[in-house]
Amino acid sequence: MARYTVHGATQRECQDALDELGRLLDVKVTLLPTDRLGGSWIARAEHNKALDQTVRGLVVR
């Protein structure tokens, strides 16, 4: 199982990143965008299928 965390300076930016992740991969959201965990906005999702382990890194805009 792969787990992902997206970050954003605002709730909208975080939600956009979560939406983009959902378009790219078949993920289930496990934490909607929140700023209650330390000041910046974060959201989490997980992918239940085994992914290619050679693929690493983040999408940076």
Side-chain angles (χ1 to χ4, degrees):
M1 174 186 325
R3 293 186 177 111
Y4 303 93
T5 301
V6 296
H7 298 262
T10 65
Q11 182 180 14
R12 179 78 259 157
E13 187 176 276
C14 189
Q15 183 64 55
D16 289 346
L18 188 60
D19 293 344
E20 185 174 350
L21 181 65
R23 281 191 296 275
L24 296 171
L25 299 171
D26 182 25
V27 296
K28 177 178 86 172
V29 175
T30 58
L31 177 67
L32 291 171
T34 182
D35 63 350
R36 294 184 182 198
L37 300 176
S40 66
W41 286 88
I42 70 164
R44 294 192 176 126
E46 63 183 36
H47 191 280
N48 289 324
K49 291 183 180 181
L51 299 176
D52 180 353
Q53 295 300 310
T54 62
V55 177
R56 297 273 189 247
L58 302 172
V59 175
V60 177
R61 291 190 246 172

